[in-house]
Amino acid sequence: MKEMKDSLQDYLLKVVDEADEDEDQGNDKKIKTYIIESNIDAPEKISYTPKNTVIKKTDNPNLKIIYLPEIHLKKSRTEKQLIYLDSSDPRFWLLHTNVGSTRMRGFVNELVIRNNSQLDFAWFASNFLENKCDIGIGEGFGLKYQNSFLNGSDLMEDGPIRRFSMLFWGGKPQDVLGGLKTNPGLVSGVNLSRVKRIFKTDDGYVKENISREGQFTLTKGDSIDSHFLAVDNVKMKYELIINTIENDYRINFMTSEQGYSVKGTYSVIKLERKIENFKIFLDHILSGNKPFRIIGLPSEITNDFANVFAIDLHTNHKFNMEITPNAIRVYLYRDSCGNVLTRLMTNLQQYYDSQITLIGSEHEQLI
């Protein structure tokens, strides 16, 4: 671990401060960390890695180095690009790298988005980004919303908002965000896709862009340890939510001398925007395609109810949903991965309605 930290610290001091803080400006020299949710015992058991990718062991059993294929630069030079895979937390791996965003995004997508990959992103819902990524001082945010559940009759000037995108960097971002939410015509599209925070520790400081898919981009700073602390702080809050879901909101049937007993209960995705067309809604979330990665068979559909038997393609585990116009009641089985709930919620916020919340059976808010 020390060698990794020293390498990234040297790189941070040498390169990152030369880069433009805004990753959208095309300067791609920044250090990035991705949180990857894993249902695999160890990195050696990954069933698929992109072509010509090499995973090598280090002296630390929890640290691997992933070598991507060399890329050719100008003047006949080549550059080796590598990723540090930290599996110290067996459930939530960390990928640390300075590989460019486009190439790294392609690698991570190819690694994760495969049926039964047993890997997934850490899905940071809009309200998680707002309320749980509260490290340090807020300096900005990004909004991204695109309603993909509209039918032809909705495509009218006075119909539901179709698309909303915005970047804001500056003072008092929470006040700006709060102001946008008071606009009834915009509120359903006020979906956070990332937040920017300034995080200071005794070791130094970092400016972090934190995205909805669990990516941390160190845009400026002087301390790699501060970056690691920022990642760990947010990861622990996300892990707590997943542990709560899997401990309290999975249905487990048990036998005893007295007979059968049931442990656990259901959770509810509360919809502020009413489902008007069940066919369109079900076609979108049950197609098996990204980003939802769910395939399902409705066994009963009426104008205001659908009962769905579903499979999470991340792990191939089964779960059930009861869908009404204003809520989705989710029944996870004993082995179901809790990440299916955060994935479903986060993507419904981006593509359906940003005001969606996840609550427990006793109406306590989980996210």
Side-chain angles (χ1 to χ4, degrees), residues 21 129-141 169 173-174 194-200 205-210 216-220 230 234:
E21 283 188 49
L129 285 170
E130 182 177 1
N131 300 317
K132 300 297 184 181
C133 297
D134 54 351
I135 56 172
I137 301 170
E139 198 184 44
F141 59 82
W169 307 141
Q174 200 64 31
R194 54 173 154 156
V195 293
K196 178 178 280 192
R197 309 291 301 191
I198 303 175
F199 183 59
K200 296 181 179 179
Y205 86 101
V206 283
K207 291 186 180 181
E208 300 279 353
N209 273 348
I210 309 172
F216 291 70
T217 303
L218 200 172
T219 64
K220 200 173 183 67
V234 176

Side-chain angles (χ1 to χ4, degrees), residues 291-306:
F292 293 103
R293 295 174 69 198
I294 295 169
I295 192 167
L297 179 66
S299 61
E300 179 183 354
I301 303 178
T302 66
N303 290 332
D304 58 4
F305 180 81

Side-chain angles (χ1 to χ4, degrees), residues 210-224:
I210 309 172
S211 81
R212 65 190 289 271
E213 293 181 348
Q215 176 186 339
F216 291 70
T217 303
L218 200 172
T219 64
K220 200 173 183 67
D222 59 12
S223 168
I224 197 65

Side-chain angles (χ1 to χ4, degrees), residues 21-226:
E21 283 188 49
D22 188 349
E23 63 181 342
D24 295 324
Q25 296 302 313
N27 198 320
D28 214 12
K29 298 180 179 180
K30 304 175 187 71
I31 291 172
K32 294 165 282 291
T33 294
Y34 296 75
I35 301 176
I36 301 296
E37 188 269 347
S38 170
N39 285 266
I40 300 173
D41 293 339
E44 292 84 357
K45 295 185 179 181
I46 295 174
S47 60
Y48 170 84
T49 54
K51 186 178 180 181
N52 297 326
T53 298
V54 178
I55 302 178
K56 291 189 176 182
K57 297 180 180 180
T58 68
D59 293 338
N60 186 324
N62 295 320
L63 184 66
K64 306 293 185 294
I65 298 179
I66 302 175
Y67 291 91
L68 300 184
E70 293 182 350
I71 59 172
H72 295 278
L73 305 174
K74 294 180 180 179
K75 297 181 181 179
S76 300
R77 292 191 300 114
T78 60
E79 181 178 279
K80 289 185 177 180
Q81 298 201 311
L82 58 85
I83 303 158
Y84 294 101
L85 193 166
D86 178 2
S87 59
S88 301
D89 182 337
R91 184 65 188 276
F92 292 95
W93 298 350
L94 301 176
L95 300 178
H96 305 292
T97 188
N98 60 357
V99 173
S101 294
T102 300
R103 194 169 197 225
M104 188 63 190
R105 190 178 299 116
F107 167 78
V108 174
N109 285 344
E110 203 170 349
L111 188 69
V112 169
I113 305 177
R114 302 178 68 86
N115 291 353
N116 199 28
S117 69
Q118 304 291 313
L119 301 173
D120 201 359
F121 300 106
W123 292 99
F124 292 173
S126 180
N127 37 355
F128 182 93
L129 285 170
E130 182 177 1
N131 300 317
K132 300 297 184 181
C133 297
D134 54 351
I135 56 172
I137 301 170
E139 198 184 44
F141 59 82
L143 303 177
K144 183 175 286 187
Y145 172 80
Q146 183 171 344
N147 193 334
S148 61
F149 289 79
L150 296 174
N151 59 30
S153 62
D154 293 323
L155 302 179
M156 302 172 61
E157 188 173 344
D158 59 348
I161 185 171
R162 297 175 57 191
R163 185 180 294 109
F164 187 32
S165 179
M166 175 180 175
L167 288 178
F168 173 81
W169 307 141
K172 297 187 177 180
Q174 200 64 31
D175 292 349
V176 176
L177 191 63
L180 291 170
K181 289 182 177 181
T182 63
N183 187 318
L186 294 178
V187 64
S188 66
V190 182
N191 176 69
L192 284 168
S193 60
R194 54 173 154 156
V195 293
K196 178 178 280 192
R197 309 291 301 191
I198 303 175
F199 183 59
K200 296 181 179 179
T201 70
D202 292 340
D203 296 314
Y205 86 101
V206 283
K207 291 186 180 181
E208 300 279 353
N209 273 348
I210 309 172
S211 81
R212 65 190 289 271
E213 293 181 348
Q215 176 186 339
F216 291 70
T217 303
L218 200 172
T219 64
K220 200 173 183 67
D222 59 12
S223 168
I224 197 65
D225 281 326
S226 297

Side-chain angles (χ1 to χ4, degrees), residues 181 187-191 270-272 349 353-357:
K181 289 182 177 181
V187 64
S188 66
V190 182
N191 176 69
K270 185 179 178 183
L271 308 174
E272 291 297 322
Q349 285 182 335
D353 181 9
S354 71
Q355 303 307 295
I356 289 170
T357 54

